[in-house]
């Protein structure tokens, strides 16, 4: 039986929600990840240092007993964000600001309407060493949803990198060959997180045979050629610029399976197992540890986790549904099916 022991991974892009939902999903991440970068798009969003510290306290209170998991807090960038807020965030230990273009994804109504008006804020982030996490899509209604990321690169990402060349940027949940190429060609101040769904699935998996709401996420799944390009990126010569970020985004089944089903895939229940499949199929299991446990920590300026986990190549069933508070359930990625690897807890 094949086994693989790696340094305990980190999830550099995670949605935990709040309240009962937080309590339901947090244990899945806490049992396999050492740390996670927590997304701030709550209702209302996490826009101040006080908001972030209060949210962190709720996360810590919801952890299982004796857990060593550490949440890394972020702030939601808005049109009202200021350089002074950046300095306050740095002093409080907040690791990053997150850009949500207004209307781009779940709870993004308070997002930025014109990033170029916030150049003083981005310049202060570069000065303070606070990371800039980017949901890289335009929301222009004339742009095809499958082209939003590529257009964002030309209209926004490249000009920002030219105007603030020292800004440390994470291009979040990249989905295209265009984004992978940008990251590989950029300086060492630019990296990217990659999700399990964008490494394992393409848009046929979402649309062929009927719309599959539990595979609907934003950014939306792309062509097979883009999926292959992402796999090549995380396993290739510039793989040090890419790291694990699940974008695990829990939604109640009732909100996914309706006429206006919301975007997001919950992968935290079997995150590292899904990534192991990707690297195994690519013949690159020897590169999984760097992607999952080293690259992200290095880019964020963090030490590697002191613990390790062991994966066994042995099929494991995935629960069809998980309790989600208030009588609701959520359907995890691969729910009712199985993963090819199992974590030895």
């Amino acid at each position: 039986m094949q086994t693989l022991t790696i340094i305990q991974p980190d999830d550099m892009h995670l949605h935990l929600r709040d309240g009962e939902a937080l309590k339901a999903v947090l244990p899945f991440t806490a049992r396999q990840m050492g740390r996670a970068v927590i997304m701030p798009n709550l209702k209302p969003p996490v826009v101040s240092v006080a908001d972030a510290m209060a949210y962190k306290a709720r996360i810590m209170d919801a952890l299982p007993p004796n857990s060593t998991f550490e949440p890394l807090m972020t702030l939601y960038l808005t049109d009202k964000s200021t350089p002074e807020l950046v300095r306050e965030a740095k002093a409080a230990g907040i690791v990053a600001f997150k850009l949500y273009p207004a209307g781009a994804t779940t709870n993004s109504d308070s997002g930025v309407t014109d990033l170029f008006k916030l150049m003083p804020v981005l310049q202060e982030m570069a000065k303070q060493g606070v990371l800039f996490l980017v949901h890289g899509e335009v929301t222009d209604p004339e742009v095809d949803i499958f082209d939003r990321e590529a257009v964002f690169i030309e209209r926004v990402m490249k000009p920002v990198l030219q105007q603030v060349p020292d800004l440390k940027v994470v291009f979040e949940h990249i989905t295209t060959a265009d984004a992978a190429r940008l990251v590989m060609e950029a300086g060492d101040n630019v990296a990217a997180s990659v999700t399990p769904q964008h490494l394992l699935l393409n848009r046929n998996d979402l649309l062929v045979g009927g719309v599959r709401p539990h595979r609907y996420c934003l950014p939306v799944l792309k062509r097979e050629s883009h999926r292959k390009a992402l796999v090549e990126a995380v396993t290739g010569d510039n793989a040090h610029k890419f790291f694990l970020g699940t974008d695990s985004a829990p939604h109640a089944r009732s909100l996914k399976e309706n006429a206006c089903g919301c975007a997001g895939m919950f992968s935290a229940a079997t995150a590292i197992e899904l990534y192991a499949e990707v690297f195994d199929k690519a013949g690159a299991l020897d590169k999984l540890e760097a992607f999952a446990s080293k690259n992200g920590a290095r880019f964020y300026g963090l030490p590697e986790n002191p613990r390790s986990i062991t994966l066994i190549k042995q099929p494991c069933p995935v629960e069809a549904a998980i309790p989600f508070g208030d009588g609701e359930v959520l359907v995890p990625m691969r729910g009712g099916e199985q993963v090819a690897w199992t974590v030895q807890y």
Side-chain angles (χ1 to χ4, degrees):
M1 185 178 297
Q2 188 174 0
T3 64
L4 178 68
T5 297
I6 63 172
I7 295 167
Q8 187 178 28
D10 295 314
D11 187 345
M12 294 308 193
H13 186 130
L14 179 68
H15 298 270
L16 286 176
R17 310 304 185 209
D18 212 345
E20 293 303 309
L22 164 65
K23 296 175 184 177
V25 301
L26 177 58
F28 292 103
T29 294
R31 72 178 180 176
Q32 59 176 232
M33 301 291 172
R35 295 166 294 219
V37 177
I38 309 301
M39 294 298 105
N41 59 332
L42 303 181
K43 285 188 175 181
V46 179
V47 298
S48 71
V49 171
D51 291 340
M53 294 301 100
Y55 187 27
K56 182 176 182 178
R58 297 194 297 276
I59 294 169
M60 298 303 291
D61 287 345
L63 281 171
N66 303 315
S67 175
T68 59
F69 174 77
E70 180 185 2
L72 304 173
M73 307 310 294
T74 66
L75 292 185
Y76 191 117
L77 188 70
T78 74
D79 289 342
K80 296 180 180 179
S81 298
T82 63
E84 182 182 9
L85 178 60
V86 175
R87 293 189 289 273
E88 291 176 4
K90 175 68 173 181
I94 290 167
V95 298
F97 279 73
K98 178 62 183 281
L99 169 68
Y100 291 103
T105 188
T106 303
N107 298 345
S108 62
D109 295 343
S110 300
V112 172
T113 57
D114 185 351
L115 182 61
F116 295 99
K117 292 182 179 179
L118 293 174
M119 280 298 156
V121 178
L122 301 186
Q123 290 164 352
E124 189 64 28
M125 288 167 59
K127 181 179 178 181
Q128 297 294 332
V130 175
L131 276 68
F132 184 42
L133 314 184
V134 176
H135 181 116
E137 293 188 289
V138 297
T139 55
D140 184 340
E142 295 185 0
V143 176
D144 189 290
I145 192 170
F146 292 101
D147 297 330
R148 284 180 168 188
E149 186 172 275
V151 173
F152 180 90
I153 289 170
E154 297 303 322
R155 289 187 185 177
V156 182
M157 184 69 95
K158 287 182 178 179
V160 165
L161 291 174
Q162 289 171 355
Q163 294 182 42
V164 195
D166 296 330
L167 184 63
K168 241 183 152 176
V169 178
V170 180
F171 202 159
E172 300 271 43
H173 46 50
I174 63 168
T175 68
T176 60
D178 311 72
R181 183 166 52 252
L182 172 83
V183 172
M184 287 187 282
E185 292 176 353
D188 289 340
N189 60 309
V190 180
S193 63
V194 193
T195 75
Q197 62 263 30
H198 292 109
L199 290 167
L200 287 165
L201 304 173
N202 62 39
R203 64 189 188 182
N204 280 0
D205 296 304
L206 170 65
L207 298 170
V208 172
V211 177
R212 303 179 186 223
H214 296 288
R215 292 178 180 174
Y216 173 50
C217 58
L218 288 173
V220 71
L221 298 170
K222 302 299 195 300
R223 291 179 180 273
E224 174 66 4
S225 58
H226 290 297
R227 187 198 68 81
K228 288 181 176 178
L230 296 183
V231 174
E232 291 173 3
V234 303
T235 60
D237 293 340
N238 288 296
H240 66 283
K241 303 199 76 178
F242 302 91
F243 45 76
L244 187 158
T246 62
D247 192 20
S248 182
H251 293 282
R253 183 165 61 188
S254 61
L255 296 178
K256 294 286 289 180
E257 298 176 3
N258 65 48
C260 299
C262 54
M265 296 178 67
F266 178 69
S267 58
T270 53
I272 193 62
E273 297 95 323
L274 291 165
Y275 284 112
E277 286 188 18
V278 173
F279 282 78
D280 191 12
K281 289 177 183 177
L285 273 176
D286 59 316
K287 296 184 178 180
L288 176 62
E289 182 179 58
F291 174 82
S293 314
K294 295 183 176 183
N295 297 348
R298 181 176 61 250
F299 194 77
Y300 275 77
L302 301 168
E304 294 171 5
N305 289 311
R307 296 172 176 78
S308 63
I309 65 170
T310 297
L311 288 148
I312 305 170
K313 193 170 185 180
Q314 175 178 297
C316 180
V318 180
E319 292 181 76
I322 294 169
F324 196 47
D326 298 325
E328 293 278 8
V329 297
L330 64 85
V331 177
M333 189 171 173
R334 293 271 182 89
E337 303 175 39
Q338 63 181 23
V339 287
W341 288 79
T342 304
V343 176
Q344 187 177 52
Y345 289 112

